[in-house]
Each structure stands twice: as C-alpha cells, then as structure tokens.
Amino acid sequence: MGLFSRKTTDAPANPEMAELGREYAIAKRHGDRKTVGRITRQIGTSGMSEDDRDAFEQGRRAYDAIPPVPGFRRNRRR
C-alpha cells in the first residue's frame, strides 16, 4: 500500500443491515414506493440497535455516493 492509499477497512457491523440500506437507497433513487414502504415497515417492527442503524446508514450512504447515470434526451437535434 502506498502513502496515499484510498482503501479503507470500514466494514459494517451488520452486513445484512448494510445490504438493506443499499436496497433502500436504490428504491428511493428509482422511485419504488412499494419497496421503500416495505423496508421502512421492516425497520420499524424490528428492534434496531445502534450498530444496526449505523450499518444501515453506511449501506445507504455507500449507494448514494455513486452519482446517477445521466439520462438521454429525446428531443435533441443532431
């Protein structure tokens, strides 16, 4: 590893909750209200510890850090 290495070892405490956070972020970005509601209910019914909540937020932020792909224009003149 170099002096300015960007690799980090910030592994989430609960990988399952991190994956749920990624799934939530994907659903929010794509406007999938059904999945967002399902995940919100699932989080509300389960007693989340502070580590689980941190892992969920870490997974959500990991996906939100990826910039969205720009769409194409339909009415663009060539």
Side-chain angles (χ1 to χ4, degrees):
M1 296 244 196
L3 183 62
F4 298 105
S5 179
R6 291 185 180 183
K7 290 184 179 179
T8 60
T9 58
D10 293 337
N14 188 346
E16 186 177 310
M17 290 304 289
E19 183 61 35
L20 193 63
R22 276 189 225 100
E23 191 176 327
Y24 178 81
I26 291 168
K28 284 288 268 191
R29 183 176 287 185
H30 294 282
D32 188 0
R33 295 182 304 173
K34 184 178 178 182
T35 304
V36 170
R38 178 183 58 81
I39 293 171
T40 305
R41 280 192 307 276
Q42 184 178 351
I43 289 172
T45 58
S46 67
M48 287 179 60
S49 67
E50 192 62 34
D51 290 337
D52 290 344
R53 191 170 307 280
D54 288 341
F56 180 83
E57 286 299 317
Q58 187 176 2
R60 188 184 60 77
R61 278 181 278 147
Y63 187 79
D64 285 340
I66 302 170
V69 176
F72 63 93
R73 291 183 168 177
R74 294 181 186 263
N75 297 331
R76 196 167 111 196
R77 290 186 137 181
R78 294 182 187 193

